[in-house]
């Protein structure tokens, strides 16, 4: 009712001060192209470092292989020696064990040929505890 | 001997897929390469019936190399005899066979 003057909560005389209500999305940072450039640059730098290190690893691997090749005669000789020792022990035990079996030829070769046939692990570790044969066959799997 | 010889006409070589003695990676020979080579050299080109008659020895050696039946039977006999003698008390295994660690080089 416009007649009676009622106390209302009105804005101050002259109105309120201006304030910014618009969206504030400032343009900042690098452009899209330069971001791509930086990403690709980091990638290329990473690849370059990777390829250089892989070449170095290849050189180190070749050196390890050369060391193995240099040691091969020794390793082969020792392996052969070990094989012959095991076969000798087995032969002597067989002579003791099968003395009384009729018709048993000690050290008989099961092949018809004269060639040296490399023995299998079961033959080398025949009279030893089973654990040694298991270790010979599967021991390499324990390397992590 | 082959009548049509299609395989050499078409250039097919099935032997390289079927034999152990064909070319292997890194040139590493198979375990029974020698026996297989002997058998194939003996049995090639003479037909099945003649091969079965004439190449019996090579075939038996090759079979033994692959499957080791005779070897394993022999080893089993030795082991069983050893267990029997150990049960009877007439045999004690030497130290090298008793599971002691061997520190010799």
């Amino acid at each position: 009712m416009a007649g009676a003057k009622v106390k209302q909560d009105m804005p101050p005389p002259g109105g309120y001060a201006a304030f910014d209500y618009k969206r504030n999305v400032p343009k900042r940072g690098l452009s899209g192209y330069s971001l791509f450039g930086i990403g690709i640059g980091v990638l290329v730098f990473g690849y370059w470092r990777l390829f250089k290190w892989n070449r170095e690893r290849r050189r180190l691997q070749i050196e390890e292989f050369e060391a193995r090749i240099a040691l091969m005669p020794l390793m082969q000789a020792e392996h052969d020696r070990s094989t012959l020792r095991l076969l000798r022990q087995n032969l002597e035990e067989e002579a003791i064990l099968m003395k009384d079996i009729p018709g048993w030829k000690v050290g008989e070769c099961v092949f018809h040929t004269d060639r040296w046939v490399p023995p299998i692990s079961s033959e080398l570790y025949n009279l030893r505890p089973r654990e040694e044969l298991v270790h010979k066959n599967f021991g390499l799997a324990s390397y992590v | 001997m082959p009548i049509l010889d299609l395989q050499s006409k078409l250039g097919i070589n099935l032997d390289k897929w079927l034999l152990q003695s064909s070319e292997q990676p890194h040139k590493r020979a198979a375990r029974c390469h020698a026996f297989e080579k002997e058998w194939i050299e003996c049995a090639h080109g003479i037909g099945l019936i003649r091969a079965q008659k004439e190449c019996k020895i090579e075939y038996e050696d090759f079979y033994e190399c692959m499957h080791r039946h005779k070897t394993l039977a022999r080893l089993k006999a030795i082991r069983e005899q050893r267990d029997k003698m150990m049960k009877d008390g007439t045999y004690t295994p030497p130290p090298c066979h008793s599971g002691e660690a061997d520190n010799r080089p």
Side-chain angles (χ1 to χ4, degrees):
Chain A
M1 307 296 277
K5 282 261 189 236
V6 187
K7 192 157 176 22
Q8 283 182 332
D9 202 2
M10 297 299 284
Y16 289 110
F19 62 92
D20 44 1
Y21 62 91
K22 288 196 173 21
R23 274 173 82 220
N24 183 18
V25 185
K27 208 165 167 28
R28 58 174 292 185
L30 303 166
S31 71
Y33 291 121
S34 31
L35 284 180
F36 270 128
I38 290 175
I40 292 175
V42 169
L43 272 180
V44 167
F45 170 71
Y47 291 150
W48 170 78
R49 219 167 56 150
L50 196 65
F51 298 156
K52 234 165 68 103
W53 177 235
N54 277 346
R55 280 189 211 112
E56 181 63 26
R57 276 173 77 204
R58 174 78 67 185
R59 284 190 281 270
L60 295 172
Q61 190 195 46
I62 289 176
E63 186 182 350
E64 284 176 13
F65 284 166
E66 296 270 338
R68 178 173 172 264
I69 291 171
L71 288 176
M72 279 265 250
L74 177 67
M75 302 309 250
Q76 186 66 46
E78 288 296 301
H79 183 256
D80 290 343
R81 225 179 104 224
S82 165
T83 303
L84 289 174
R85 199 166 70 88
L86 292 170
L87 283 175
R88 184 80 209 162
Q89 287 168 350
N90 283 352
L91 184 69
E92 289 176 357
E93 287 315 305
E94 187 189 339
I96 296 174
L97 283 170
M98 311 304 264
K99 232 183 2 246
D100 303 320
I101 311 271
W104 182 275
K105 285 189 269 304
V106 178
E108 174 195 19
C109 184
V110 291
F111 294 97
H112 298 112
T113 176
D114 279 336
R115 273 201 301 263
W116 166 252
V117 179
I120 54 177
S121 335
S122 303
E123 195 179 337
L124 292 173
Y125 288 87
N126 188 29
L127 293 169
R128 291 168 178 255
R130 189 167 161 76
E131 192 200 347
E132 288 189 24
L133 179 62
V134 170
H135 182 70
K136 170 86 171 26
N137 283 333
F138 304 112
L140 56 87
S142 66
Y143 170 71
V144 175
Chain B
M1 261 198 57
I3 306 174
L4 286 181
D5 210 5
L6 266 184
Q7 287 193 8
S8 41
K9 282 209 177 67
L10 294 174
I12 303 173
N13 180 19
L14 284 176
D15 290 336
K16 73 175 168 113
W17 297 100
L18 295 173
L19 288 178
Q20 290 179 16
S21 305
S22 55
E23 191 175 326
Q24 298 292 341
H26 295 294
K27 308 275 187 281
R28 299 182 56 175
R31 197 192 273 191
C32 302
H33 170 79
F35 294 106
E36 189 178 29
K37 187 164 183 276
E38 294 282 302
W39 180 52
I40 296 292
E41 281 174 355
C42 169
H44 175 67
I46 58 176
L48 179 67
I49 300 178
R50 258 185 75 193
Q52 277 172 342
K53 224 176 18 209
E54 295 172 16
C55 303
K56 218 166 160 23
I57 296 179
E58 285 91 353
Y59 177 70
E60 274 178 16
D61 277 346
F62 179 45
Y63 191 91
E64 169 60 26
C65 179
M66 289 282 279
H67 301 282
R68 308 270 178 174
H69 283 162
K70 298 188 230 173
T71 309
L72 294 178
R74 206 159 179 271
L75 296 172
K76 187 167 179 243
I78 296 176
R79 257 201 327 268
E80 283 174 353
Q81 173 72 7
R82 179 195 67 168
D83 293 337
K84 191 162 81 93
M85 281 176 81
M86 274 175 63
K87 205 157 69 77
D88 291 339
T90 41
Y91 174 76
T92 40
C96 56
H97 285 163
S98 311
E100 297 169 11
D102 191 10
N103 290 325
R104 289 189 304 163

